[in-house]
Amino acid sequence: ADEYVPMEVDLEMERVHAGSATGTGVKFRQNFGETPEALLNTQVRMELGASRAYLAMGAYFDRADVALPGFKAWAMKQSEEEREHAQKFIEYINLRGGDYHPTDVPAPAETSWSSALTAMESALKMEMQVNKALLRLHKVASDNDDAQLCDFLESEYLTEQVESINGIAKVVRKLMRAGPGTGKTWMIKQAFY
């Protein structure tokens, strides 16, 4: 049998081929402060957390004892949209010359609800928290004269967030108005149409 001979590494060649990992490539940061960058990283985590919460909500609506397929489809779509938001924020951080710092995304605080109403109230609270974080980020960007970040938030997120809050609030109101029973089932069917 052949004896194993360890391969010698040419350290100089390893350094040359390391590429951008150790390269002195161009890194730019124009008018992109550390605080907005940190808040953007926090926003990525928040969006991923919202994605996981909606995924849990979709699983809840899909359970045999709940059986609300329209709500399940809505929650799964919301989960996907939140992941897309996180990806867009990461791309924006890179566009501005910043660094994305992945952090642990906590498990959702809730994975089961007593009704569609309580699930939708939970979604409404979460969306309001996301909106609050976006508005804080916008204020910091404005205070730092970062017109580009303000424009990005205004064109990509702020209107959509308000519309999302409004849509969920209307579903909550419909569910409250319908109350328990047969009428509620019909209202649930109509909630997402």
Side-chain angles (χ1 to χ4, degrees):
D2 292 331
E3 186 177 316
Y4 173 75
V5 178
M7 189 165 77
E8 291 185 31
V9 176
D10 183 339
L11 295 178
E12 178 59 24
M13 290 308 290
E14 182 180 13
R15 186 190 64 75
V16 169
H17 291 288
S20 63
T22 60
T24 58
V26 176
K27 182 86 170 166
F28 66 94
R29 284 181 81 95
Q30 182 180 8
N31 194 34
F32 187 50
E34 290 179 11
T35 301
E37 179 184 10
L39 289 174
L40 282 164
N41 273 283
T42 300
Q43 194 68 36
V44 170
R45 182 175 188 239
M46 182 174 270
E47 300 288 343
L48 292 173
S51 176
R52 290 182 73 186
Y54 280 122
L55 189 62
M57 197 174 287
Y60 164 77
F61 289 132
D62 192 43
R63 287 181 2 198
D65 62 329
V66 179
L68 294 172
F71 278 74
K72 176 203 172 200
W74 173 82
M76 294 307 206
K77 181 180 178 210
Q78 295 303 111
S79 178
E80 183 179 328
E81 286 180 9
E82 299 297 346
R83 277 191 313 276
E84 289 172 0
H85 291 171
Q87 291 170 344
K88 195 180 285 187
F89 277 119
I90 292 168
E91 290 168 3
Y92 183 81
I93 291 167
N94 288 336
L95 176 70
R96 294 297 300 275
D99 292 310
Y100 167 57
H101 301 285
T103 57
D104 289 340
V105 178
E110 297 176 275
T111 58
S112 188
W113 295 264
S114 60
S115 66
L117 175 58
T118 59
M120 295 307 291
E121 287 172 336
S122 175
L124 182 59
K125 288 176 190 171
M126 180 175 60
E127 291 296 343
M128 292 174 75
Q129 290 172 342
V130 169
N131 191 51
K132 184 177 180 179
L134 287 169
L135 292 174
R136 178 174 179 233
L137 179 56
H138 186 276
K139 180 171 180 8
V140 168
S142 179
D143 291 348
N144 284 288
D145 296 323
D146 191 340
Q148 210 290 318
L149 179 53
C150 288
D151 179 65
F152 173 72
L153 294 169
E154 291 164 8
S155 64
E156 298 289 334
Y157 293 99
L158 296 182
T159 299
E160 179 185 333
Q161 195 65 35
V162 170
E163 290 170 350
S164 179
I165 290 169
N166 182 268
I168 295 170
K170 286 179 179 177
V171 171
V172 167
R173 187 66 194 131
K174 286 180 183 182
L175 291 170
M176 291 172 72
R177 188 178 305 128
T182 308
K184 185 174 184 176
T185 304
W186 183 84
M187 290 300 286
I188 289 170
K189 181 179 178 193
Q190 300 303 314
F192 292 109
Y193 297 103

Coordinates of all heavy atoms in Angstrom, one line a residue, residues 8-74:
E8 N 2.5 19.6 0.4 CA 3.0 20.9 0.9 C 2.2 22.0 0.2 O 1.9 21.9 -1.0 CB 4.5 21.0 0.6 CG 5.3 20.0 1.4 CD 6.8 20.2 1.2 OE1 7.2 21.3 0.9 OE2 7.5 19.2 1.3
V9 N 2.0 23.0 1.0 CA 1.2 24.2 0.4 C 2.2 25.3 0.2 O 3.0 25.7 1.1 CB 0.1 24.6 1.4 CG1 -0.6 25.9 0.9 CG2 -0.8 23.5 1.7
D10 N 2.2 25.8 -1.0 CA 3.0 27.0 -1.3 C 2.2 28.2 -0.8 O 1.2 28.6 -1.4 CB 3.2 27.1 -2.9 CG 4.0 28.2 -3.3 OD1 4.2 29.2 -2.5 OD2 4.5 28.2 -4.4
L11 N 2.6 28.7 0.3 CA 1.9 29.8 1.0 C 1.8 31.1 0.1 O 0.8 31.8 0.1 CB 2.6 30.2 2.3 CG 2.5 29.0 3.4 CD1 3.2 29.5 4.6 CD2 1.1 28.7 3.7
E12 N 2.8 31.3 -0.7 CA 2.8 32.5 -1.6 C 1.7 32.3 -2.6 O 0.9 33.2 -2.9 CB 4.1 32.7 -2.2 CG 4.2 33.9 -3.2 CD 3.8 35.3 -2.6 OE1 4.0 35.4 -1.3 OE2 3.3 36.1 -3.3
M13 N 1.6 31.1 -3.2 CA 0.6 30.9 -4.2 C -0.8 30.9 -3.6 O -1.8 31.3 -4.2 CB 0.8 29.5 -4.9 CG 2.1 29.6 -5.9 SD 2.0 31.0 -7.0 CE 0.7 30.5 -8.1
E14 N -0.9 30.4 -2.4 CA -2.2 30.4 -1.7 C -2.7 31.9 -1.5 O -3.8 32.2 -1.7 CB -2.1 29.7 -0.3 CG -3.4 29.7 0.4 CD -3.3 29.0 1.7 OE1 -2.2 28.7 2.2 OE2 -4.4 28.7 2.3
R15 N -1.7 32.7 -1.1 CA -2.1 34.2 -0.9 C -2.5 34.8 -2.3 O -3.5 35.5 -2.3 CB -0.9 34.9 -0.4 CG -1.2 36.4 0.0 CD 0.1 37.2 0.3 NE 1.0 37.3 -0.8 CZ 0.8 38.1 -1.9 NH1 -0.3 38.8 -2.0 NH2 1.6 38.2 -2.9
V16 N -1.8 34.5 -3.3 CA -2.1 35.0 -4.7 C -3.5 34.6 -5.1 O -4.3 35.4 -5.6 CB -1.1 34.6 -5.7 CG1 -1.5 35.0 -7.1 CG2 0.2 35.3 -5.4
H17 N -3.9 33.3 -4.9 CA -5.1 32.8 -5.3 C -6.3 33.0 -4.4 O -7.4 32.6 -4.6 CB -5.0 31.3 -5.7 CG -4.1 31.1 -6.9 ND1 -4.5 31.4 -8.1 CD2 -2.8 30.6 -7.0 CE1 -3.6 31.1 -9.0 NE2 -2.5 30.7 -8.3
A18 N -6.0 33.6 -3.2 CA -7.1 33.9 -2.2 C -8.1 34.8 -2.8 O -9.3 34.9 -2.3 CB -6.5 34.4 -0.9
G19 N -7.8 35.6 -3.8 CA -8.7 36.5 -4.4 C -9.2 37.6 -3.5 O -8.5 38.1 -2.7
S20 N -10.5 37.9 -3.6 CA -11.1 39.0 -2.9 C -11.2 38.8 -1.4 O -11.4 39.7 -0.7 CB -12.5 39.3 -3.4 OG -13.4 38.2 -3.2
A21 N -11.0 37.6 -1.0 CA -11.0 37.3 0.5 C -9.9 38.1 1.2 O -10.1 38.6 2.3 CB -10.9 35.9 0.8
T22 N -8.8 38.3 0.6 CA -7.7 39.1 1.2 C -7.3 40.2 0.3 O -6.3 40.9 0.5 CB -6.5 38.2 1.5 OG1 -6.0 37.6 0.2 CG2 -6.8 37.1 2.4
G23 N -7.9 40.4 -0.8 CA -7.6 41.4 -1.8 C -7.7 42.8 -1.3 O -8.4 43.0 -0.3
T24 N -7.2 43.7 -2.0 CA -7.3 45.1 -1.6 C -8.2 45.8 -2.7 O -7.9 46.9 -3.1 CB -5.9 45.8 -1.6 OG1 -5.3 45.6 -2.9 CG2 -5.0 45.2 -0.5
G25 N -9.2 45.1 -3.0 CA -10.2 45.7 -4.0 C -10.8 46.9 -3.5 O -10.7 47.4 -2.4
V26 N -11.5 47.6 -4.4 CA -12.1 48.8 -4.1 C -13.3 48.6 -3.2 O -14.2 47.8 -3.5 CB -12.6 49.5 -5.4 CG1 -13.4 50.8 -5.1 CG2 -11.4 49.8 -6.3
K27 N -13.3 49.3 -2.1 CA -14.5 49.3 -1.2 C -14.9 50.8 -1.0 O -14.1 51.6 -0.7 CB -14.0 48.7 0.2 CG -15.1 48.6 1.2 CD -15.8 47.3 1.1 CE -16.7 47.1 2.3 NZ -17.7 46.1 2.1
F28 N -16.2 51.0 -1.2 CA -16.6 52.4 -1.1 C -17.7 52.5 -0.1 O -18.5 51.6 0.1 CB -17.1 52.8 -2.5 CG -18.4 52.1 -2.9 CD1 -19.6 52.6 -2.6 CD2 -18.3 50.9 -3.5 CE1 -20.8 51.9 -3.0 CE2 -19.4 50.2 -3.9 CZ -20.7 50.7 -3.6
R29 N -17.8 53.7 0.4 CA -18.9 54.1 1.3 C -19.1 55.6 1.2 O -18.3 56.3 1.7 CB -18.6 53.8 2.8 CG -18.7 52.4 3.2 CD -18.4 52.3 4.7 NE -19.5 52.6 5.5 CZ -20.4 51.7 6.0 NH1 -20.2 50.4 5.7 NH2 -21.4 52.1 6.7
Q30 N -20.1 55.9 0.4 CA -20.3 57.4 0.3 C -21.6 57.7 1.0 O -22.7 57.2 0.7 CB -20.4 57.8 -1.2 CG -20.7 59.3 -1.3 CD -20.8 59.7 -2.8 OE1 -20.9 58.9 -3.7 NE2 -20.8 61.0 -3.0
N31 N -21.5 58.5 2.0 CA -22.6 59.0 2.8 C -23.5 57.8 3.3 O -24.7 57.9 3.3 CB -23.5 59.9 1.9 CG -24.5 60.7 2.8 OD1 -24.2 61.1 3.9 ND2 -25.7 61.0 2.2
F32 N -22.9 56.8 3.8 CA -23.6 55.6 4.3 C -23.0 55.4 5.7 O -22.0 54.8 5.9 CB -23.4 54.4 3.4 CG -24.2 53.2 3.8 CD1 -25.6 53.3 4.1 CD2 -23.7 52.0 3.9 CE1 -26.4 52.2 4.4 CE2 -24.4 50.9 4.3 CZ -25.8 51.0 4.5
G33 N -23.7 55.9 6.7 CA -23.3 55.8 8.1 C -23.4 54.5 8.7 O -24.1 53.6 8.2
E34 N -22.7 54.3 9.8 CA -22.7 53.0 10.5 C -24.0 52.7 11.2 O -24.5 51.6 11.2 CB -21.6 53.0 11.6 CG -20.2 52.9 11.0 CD -19.1 52.9 12.0 OE1 -19.4 52.8 13.2 OE2 -17.9 53.1 11.6
T35 N -24.7 53.8 11.7 CA -26.0 53.6 12.3 C -27.0 53.1 11.3 O -27.7 52.1 11.6 CB -26.5 54.8 13.1 OG1 -25.5 55.2 14.0 CG2 -27.8 54.6 13.7
P36 N -27.2 53.7 10.2 CA -28.1 53.2 9.2 C -27.8 51.8 8.7 O -28.7 50.9 8.6 CB -28.1 54.2 8.0 CG -27.6 55.4 8.6 CD -26.7 55.0 9.7
E37 N -26.5 51.5 8.6 CA -26.1 50.1 8.2 C -26.5 49.1 9.3 O -27.0 48.0 9.0 CB -24.6 50.1 8.0 CG -24.1 48.7 7.6 CD -22.6 48.6 7.5 OE1 -21.9 49.6 7.9 OE2 -22.1 47.6 7.0
A38 N -26.3 49.5 10.5 CA -26.6 48.6 11.6 C -28.2 48.4 11.7 O -28.7 47.2 11.9 CB -26.1 49.1 13.0
L39 N -28.9 49.4 11.5 CA -30.4 49.3 11.5 C -30.9 48.5 10.3 O -31.9 47.8 10.4 CB -31.0 50.7 11.5 CG -30.9 51.5 12.8 CD1 -31.4 52.9 12.6 CD2 -31.6 50.8 13.9
L40 N -30.2 48.6 9.2 CA -30.6 47.8 8.0 C -30.3 46.3 8.3 O -31.1 45.5 8.0 CB -29.8 48.2 6.8 CG -30.3 49.5 6.1 CD1 -29.3 50.0 5.1 CD2 -31.6 49.2 5.4
N41 N -29.2 46.0 9.0 CA -29.0 44.6 9.4 C -30.0 44.1 10.3 O -30.5 43.0 10.2 CB -27.6 44.5 10.0 CG -26.5 44.3 9.0 OD1 -26.4 43.1 8.4 ND2 -25.7 45.3 8.6
T42 N -30.4 45.0 11.3 CA -31.5 44.7 12.2 C -32.8 44.4 11.4 O -33.6 43.5 11.7 CB -31.7 45.8 13.2 OG1 -30.5 45.9 14.0 CG2 -32.8 45.5 14.2
Q43 N -33.1 45.3 10.4 CA -34.3 45.1 9.6 C -34.3 43.8 8.9 O -35.4 43.2 8.8 CB -34.4 46.3 8.6 CG -35.8 46.4 8.0 CD -36.8 46.8 9.0 OE1 -36.6 47.6 9.9 NE2 -38.0 46.3 8.9
V44 N -33.2 43.4 8.4 CA -33.1 42.0 7.7 C -33.5 41.0 8.7 O -34.4 40.1 8.4 CB -31.7 41.7 7.2 CG1 -31.5 40.3 6.7 CG2 -31.3 42.7 6.1
R45 N -33.0 41.0 9.9 CA -33.4 40.0 10.9 C -34.9 40.1 11.2 O -35.6 39.1 11.4 CB -32.6 40.3 12.2 CG -32.9 39.3 13.3 CD -31.9 39.6 14.5 NE -32.0 38.6 15.5 CZ -32.4 38.8 16.7 NH1 -32.7 40.0 17.1 NH2 -32.4 37.8 17.6
M46 N -35.4 41.3 11.3 CA -36.9 41.5 11.6 C -37.7 40.9 10.4 O -38.7 40.2 10.7 CB -37.2 43.0 11.8 CG -38.6 43.2 12.1 SD -38.9 45.0 12.5 CE -38.7 44.9 14.3
E47 N -37.3 41.2 9.2 CA -38.0 40.6 8.0 C -38.0 39.1 8.0 O -39.0 38.5 7.7 CB -37.5 41.2 6.7 CG -37.5 42.7 6.6 CD -38.9 43.3 6.4 OE1 -39.8 42.5 6.0 OE2 -39.1 44.5 6.6
L48 N -36.8 38.6 8.3 CA -36.7 37.1 8.4 C -37.6 36.5 9.5 O -38.2 35.5 9.4 CB -35.3 36.7 8.5 CG -34.4 36.9 7.2 CD1 -32.9 36.6 7.5 CD2 -34.9 36.2 6.0
G49 N -37.6 37.2 10.6 CA -38.5 36.8 11.7 C -39.9 36.9 11.4 O -40.7 35.9 11.7
A50 N -40.3 37.9 10.6 CA -41.7 38.0 10.2 C -42.0 36.8 9.2 O -43.1 36.3 9.2 CB -42.0 39.3 9.5
S51 N -41.1 36.5 8.3 CA -41.2 35.4 7.4 C -41.5 34.1 8.2 O -42.4 33.3 7.8 CB -40.0 35.3 6.5 OG -40.1 34.1 5.7
R52 N -40.7 33.9 9.2 CA -40.9 32.6 10.0 C -42.3 32.7 10.7 O -42.9 31.6 10.9 CB -39.8 32.5 11.0 CG -38.4 32.2 10.3 CD -37.3 32.0 11.3 NE -37.5 30.7 12.0 CZ -36.8 30.3 13.1 NH1 -35.8 31.1 13.5 NH2 -37.0 29.1 13.7
A53 N -42.7 33.8 11.2 CA -43.9 33.9 11.9 C -45.1 33.6 11.0 O -46.0 32.9 11.3 CB -44.1 35.3 12.5
Y54 N -45.0 34.2 9.7 CA -46.1 33.9 8.8 C -46.0 32.4 8.3 O -47.1 31.8 8.1 CB -46.0 34.8 7.5 CG -46.5 36.1 7.8 CD1 -45.8 37.3 7.6 CD2 -47.9 36.3 8.1 CE1 -46.3 38.5 7.8 CE2 -48.4 37.5 8.3 CZ -47.6 38.7 8.2 OH -48.2 39.9 8.4
L55 N -44.9 31.8 8.3 CA -44.8 30.4 8.0 C -45.5 29.6 9.1 O -46.2 28.6 8.8 CB -43.3 30.0 7.8 CG -43.0 28.6 7.3 CD1 -43.5 28.4 5.9 CD2 -41.5 28.4 7.3
A56 N -45.2 29.9 10.3 CA -45.9 29.3 11.4 C -47.4 29.5 11.3 O -48.2 28.6 11.6 CB -45.4 29.8 12.8
M57 N -47.8 30.7 11.0 CA -49.2 31.0 10.8 C -49.9 30.1 9.7 O -51.0 29.6 9.8 CB -49.4 32.5 10.6 CG -50.8 33.0 10.8 SD -50.9 34.8 10.6 CE -50.1 35.3 12.1
G58 N -49.1 30.0 8.6 CA -49.6 29.2 7.5 C -49.8 27.7 7.9 O -50.8 27.1 7.6
A59 N -48.8 27.2 8.7 CA -48.9 25.9 9.2 C -50.1 25.7 10.1 O -50.9 24.7 10.1 CB -47.7 25.5 9.9
Y60 N -50.4 26.7 10.9 CA -51.6 26.7 11.8 C -52.9 26.6 11.0 O -53.7 25.8 11.3 CB -51.6 28.0 12.7 CG -52.9 28.2 13.4 CD1 -53.3 27.5 14.5 CD2 -53.7 29.2 12.9 CE1 -54.5 27.7 15.1 CE2 -55.0 29.5 13.5 CZ -55.4 28.7 14.6 OH -56.6 28.9 15.2
F61 N -53.0 27.5 10.0 CA -54.2 27.5 9.2 C -54.4 26.2 8.4 O -55.5 25.9 8.0 CB -54.2 28.7 8.2 CG -54.4 30.1 8.9 CD1 -53.5 31.1 8.6 CD2 -55.4 30.3 9.8 CE1 -53.7 32.4 9.2 CE2 -55.6 31.5 10.5 CZ -54.7 32.5 10.1
D62 N -53.3 25.5 8.2 CA -53.4 24.3 7.4 C -53.7 23.1 8.2 O -54.0 22.0 7.7 CB -52.0 24.1 6.7 CG -52.1 23.0 5.6 OD1 -53.1 22.9 4.9 OD2 -51.1 22.1 5.6
R63 N -53.6 23.2 9.6 CA -54.0 22.1 10.4 C -55.4 21.6 10.2 O -56.3 22.4 9.9 CB -53.8 22.5 11.9 CG -52.4 22.6 12.3 CD -52.2 23.0 13.8 NE -53.4 23.1 14.6 CZ -53.4 23.7 15.8 NH1 -52.3 24.3 16.3 NH2 -54.5 23.8 16.5
A64 N -55.6 20.3 10.3 CA -56.9 19.7 10.1 C -58.0 20.3 11.0 O -59.1 20.4 10.7 CB -56.8 18.2 10.3
D65 N -57.6 20.6 12.3 CA -58.6 21.2 13.2 C -58.8 22.7 13.0 O -59.7 23.2 13.6 CB -58.1 20.9 14.7 CG -56.8 21.6 15.0 OD1 -55.9 21.7 14.1 OD2 -56.6 21.9 16.2
V66 N -58.1 23.3 12.1 CA -58.3 24.7 11.8 C -58.9 24.8 10.3 O -59.9 25.5 10.1 CB -57.0 25.5 11.9 CG1 -57.3 27.0 11.6 CG2 -56.5 25.4 13.3
A67 N -58.2 24.2 9.4 CA -58.7 24.1 8.0 C -59.2 25.4 7.4 O -60.4 25.5 7.0 CB -59.8 23.0 7.9
L68 N -58.3 26.3 7.3 CA -58.6 27.6 6.6 C -57.7 27.8 5.4 O -56.7 28.5 5.5 CB -58.6 28.7 7.6 CG -59.6 28.7 8.7 CD1 -59.3 29.8 9.7 CD2 -61.0 28.9 8.1
P69 N -57.9 27.1 4.3 CA -57.0 27.2 3.2 C -56.7 28.6 2.6 O -55.6 28.9 2.2 CB -57.6 26.2 2.1 CG -59.0 26.1 2.5 CD -59.1 26.3 4.0
G70 N -57.7 29.4 2.6 CA -57.5 30.8 2.1 C -56.5 31.6 3.0 O -55.7 32.3 2.5
F71 N -56.7 31.4 4.3 CA -55.8 32.1 5.2 C -54.4 31.5 5.1 O -53.4 32.2 5.2 CB -56.3 31.9 6.6 CG -57.3 33.0 7.0 CD1 -58.6 32.9 6.5 CD2 -57.0 34.0 7.8 CE1 -59.6 33.8 6.8 CE2 -58.0 35.0 8.2 CZ -59.3 34.9 7.7
K72 N -54.3 30.1 4.9 CA -53.0 29.5 4.7 C -52.3 30.1 3.5 O -51.1 30.4 3.6 CB -53.2 28.0 4.6 CG -51.8 27.3 4.3 CD -52.0 26.0 3.6 CE -50.6 25.5 3.2 NZ -50.6 24.5 2.1
A73 N -53.0 30.2 2.4 CA -52.4 30.7 1.2 C -51.9 32.1 1.4 O -50.8 32.5 1.0 CB -53.4 30.6 0.0
W74 N -52.7 32.9 2.1 CA -52.3 34.3 2.4 C -51.1 34.3 3.3 O -50.1 35.1 3.0 CB -53.5 35.0 3.1 CG -53.1 36.4 3.6 CD1 -53.0 37.5 2.9 CD2 -52.6 36.7 4.9 NE1 -52.6 38.6 3.7 CE2 -52.4 38.1 4.9 CE3 -52.5 36.0 6.1 CZ2 -51.9 38.8 6.1 CZ3 -52.0 36.6 7.2 CH2 -51.8 38.0 7.2

